[in-house]
Amino acid sequence: MRDGVVYQIYPRSFQDSDGDGVGDLAGIRSRLDHLVWLGVDALWMSPIYPSPMADFGYDVAGYMDVDPVFGDLAQFDALTEAAHERGLRVLMDVVPCHTSIEHPWFREHPDWYIWADRPNNWISAFGGSAWAPRDGRYYLHSFYPEQPDLDWRNPEVIEAMQDALRFWLDRGADGYRVDAIDRLLKDPQLRDDPPASQPFGLPLREDEAKLALTNSRNAPDTGAALAKIREACGDAFLVGEVYLPSARWQPYSDYFDAVFAFELLHSPWDAHLLRAAIEATTRQPRPAWVMSNHDFGRLSARFGERNARAAAMLLLTLPGPAFLYQGDEIGQGEGPPGATRFDRAGRDRHRHPMQWEGSPRGGFTTGEPWLPLTDPAERNVAGQRDDPTSMLSLVRELIALRRELGEQFEPLDAGEGIVAFRRGGHTVAINTTSEPLRVALEGELCIQTAAGALQDGRLAPHAGAIGVD
Ligand code: NOJ
């Protein structure tokens, strides 16, 4: 898994099998051959647990079951078995920091949660105070009010979460993407976050950016709780969603196999800034590369449609595991901004269903899709599969090439506008500008983002190329 490609499945939007317009586990199983054909090593499923879906499964109402909209445990077993038969590993998404407000624990074990007589100045990730009133007190919710934070200083919580972690591994899961893990432990005295004295290092909401965020997350003793997660998981693969700049990855990188590199995901498509993000991140142990997901948007939207292929080239040639978001292999578009039918934080647009074919329902469902498809006629798997010039073919070639890249990584100073590095005997070069630029690409050209991208020593605007010695 060290250098593997993990394909992120957003289960609601991948493949519906029963016509209710929402994707499900049987649907995922029916599409596993797409993942095999693509050449990825593993799939990660966003949460499938029972949930009132206030945050589409990141509000868990039961850690050891499957929400009926996705199927049941037997479907999970069938999916895992079918994935393993095909050599694919299965990563679950565990949400240890909070539950749904409808989880029975919230009623039965209120002391498993974090309470205060009066709110402090902590801010929720989605805006406003992180405290909500209940029965004359206030409970902490680092995300939506429907997601009360668990108290990881309570040994009963640790035990219950360890049981949940073991449950899926015993059933055959191969590891976890660990949600919002920098929020696991907070200041036990619940002191205010002091005012910020320096930039956080990653984009924040305006109100959050005013605070140092030193008490509301990432407490100094976090390592002890991470050790409990590792203890329950043995040597299963763990990748942490740590929303901190890479210089602050410790202790997460001590206990996890990989940590999401958010500096690169948030970098503008500018050679100088991309290089800085890559160099800062590769100085730390265990980066996991991710340039798009269900929270922040697709490759084509984040970096611009014309840069989507070059972004995929970058993602898939950096050293360490790479996470590819479903639909990005075909350059799928996003939904309209501002349309928030479901997610109050405005993330619906990153979550439209997968486009398998060119019909209006894209082969995703026979029913009414929970969100319409974005651009199935222009971009779909069937239409791109046999087209050697398609983005899908490029992504597949890049994934195949990855196996030959080895471990070595050396950034190159290739001049203004170019991101370039060596991977063993290969040289990767990407032009981030709108002008053709001269690049000294060593060896023979082996992959380019489009035919003719490299000509007479010049790399076309928005293009990338890989040479081999
Ligand atoms: C990160 C998840 O990716 C996001 O979708 C969710 O809203 C928050 N964590 C809270 O669980």
Side-chain angles (χ1 to χ4, degrees):
M1 202 70 149
R2 246 191 357 210
D3 249 329
V5 179
V6 181
Y7 185 92
Q8 182 192 352
I9 291 183
Y10 196 67
R12 287 187 83 71
S13 300
F14 192 60
Q15 178 64 54
D16 178 21
S17 73
D18 57 9
D20 67 356
V22 175
D24 48 44
L25 296 181
I28 297 173
R29 180 154 53 96
S30 73
R31 293 291 188 183
L32 285 179
D33 288 334
H34 172 67
L35 274 61
V36 173
W37 178 84
L38 207 51
V40 303
D41 301 275
L43 60 97
W44 146 41
M45 283 184 288
S46 284
I48 56 166
Y49 318 105
S51 167
M53 304 287 171
D55 191 11
F56 280 142
Y58 288 97
D59 47 330
V60 179
Y63 284 91
M64 302 197 220
D65 209 344
V66 172
D67 193 281
V69 80
F70 298 128
D72 54 22
L73 285 170
Q75 288 290 359
F76 173 81
D77 294 341
L79 169 60
T80 309
E81 199 185 319
H84 288 165
E85 272 167 17
R86 289 165 173 77
L88 294 167
R89 295 208 240 168
V90 176
L91 303 183
M92 301 288 284
D93 200 324
V94 67
V95 188
C97 303
H98 47 264
T99 69
S100 160
I101 200 159
E102 291 180 36
H103 195 300
W105 294 347
F106 195 64
R107 287 190 308 277
E108 293 163 11
H109 302 287
D111 55 316
W112 288 14
Y113 295 80
I114 298 177
W115 297 87
D117 292 334
R118 257 172 297 118
N120 61 16
N121 73 345
W122 297 357
I123 287 175
S124 125
F126 301 128
S129 170
W131 298 89
R134 164 92 28 152
D135 303 332
R137 291 192 294 167
Y138 293 83
Y139 66 88
L140 179 66
H141 59 88
S142 293
F143 294 88
Y144 285 129
E146 293 93 330
Q147 294 166 296
D149 281 38
L150 285 163
D151 179 5
W152 269 73
R153 291 202 167 81
N154 183 331
E156 288 173 8
V157 168
I158 296 176
E159 222 172 283
M161 287 304 308
Q162 285 191 317
D163 286 348
L165 288 163
R166 284 190 206 102
F167 178 83
W168 296 99
L169 298 176
D170 289 348
R171 280 199 105 88
D174 299 287
Y176 290 102
R177 175 264 192 192
V178 191
D179 185 68
I181 192 65
D182 50 298
R183 308 278 188 145
L184 196 64
L185 285 191
K186 302 82 169 155
D187 178 39
Q189 295 170 49
L190 306 178
R191 285 173 291 191
D192 276 354
D193 273 331
S197 56
Q198 57 191 40
F200 181 69
L202 291 174
L204 292 173
R205 301 172 53 85
E206 211 179 304
D207 44 2
E208 279 182 308
K210 293 191 180 132
L211 298 172
L213 308 175
T214 43
N215 287 326
S216 56
R217 64 196 70 182
N218 195 30
D221 54 339
T222 296
L226 299 177
K228 296 292 184 185
I229 294 180
R230 177 48 83 191
E231 180 183 279
C233 293
D235 59 4
F237 183 81
L238 297 178
V239 55
E241 192 208 14
V242 179
Y243 201 74
L244 292 170
S246 53
R248 296 171 66 195
W249 278 358
Q250 227 234 340
Y252 306 94
S253 51
D254 292 343
Y255 291 96
F256 289 177
D257 299 278
V259 178
F260 282 140
F262 281 111
E263 279 141 305
L264 181 65
L265 181 140
H266 285 298
S267 172
W269 195 249
D270 167 279
H272 181 69
L273 298 172
L274 289 166
R275 255 190 331 237
I278 293 167
E279 285 175 27
T281 310
T282 48
R283 273 198 287 277
Q284 306 301 326
R286 304 173 184 258
W289 304 105
V290 56
M291 293 176 73
S292 56
N293 66 21
H294 64 291
D295 291 328
F296 295 112
R298 300 192 158 282
L299 283 185
S300 60
R302 292 203 69 69
F303 302 104
E305 217 172 286
R306 58 195 183 173
N307 296 313
R309 287 174 178 232
M313 179 173 276
L314 182 60
L315 172 72
L316 294 167
T317 50
L318 288 167
F323 285 68
L324 179 69
Y325 182 39
Q326 70 176 52
D328 276 352
E329 71 271 40
I330 54 169
Q332 192 167 316
E334 298 228 313
T340 52
R341 242 170 88 195
F342 298 97
D343 183 52
R344 309 200 297 271
R347 296 169 295 177
D348 289 354
R349 66 185 197 273
H350 317 314
R351 301 170 175 181
H352 286 257
M354 185 71 190
Q355 300 173 171
W356 299 102
E357 55 190 51
S359 61
R361 291 173 191 168
F364 163 69
T365 182
T366 53
E368 203 44 53
W370 73 280
L371 275 180
L373 283 79
T374 44
D375 47 7
E378 294 81 41
R379 292 173 192 84
N380 64 77
V381 172
Q384 293 192 19
R385 217 180 123 117
D386 299 322
D387 174 0
T389 68
S390 69
M391 173 137 179
L392 182 58
S393 296
L394 170 70
V395 167
R396 185 166 182 250
E397 276 178 59
L398 289 166
I399 293 174
L401 176 75
R402 246 180 113 72
R403 302 190 196 287
E404 293 168 34
L405 294 182
E407 287 190 7
Q408 194 235 342
F409 171 77
E410 185 200 335
L412 298 175
D413 189 2
E416 281 300 299
I418 299 279
V419 177
F421 47 86
R422 293 276 294 167
R423 293 292 315 274
H426 290 81
T427 308
V428 179
I430 286 163
N431 179 356
T432 62
T433 74
S434 307
E435 308 291 328
L437 290 177
R438 183 158 291 287
V439 289
L441 202 67
E442 288 172 33
E444 209 176 298
L445 179 65
C446 79
I447 298 187
Q448 47 189 343
T449 47
L454 186 71
Q455 254 173 11
D456 307 326
R458 284 171 178 271
L459 194 50
H462 313 291
I466 303 177
V468 60
D469 295 351

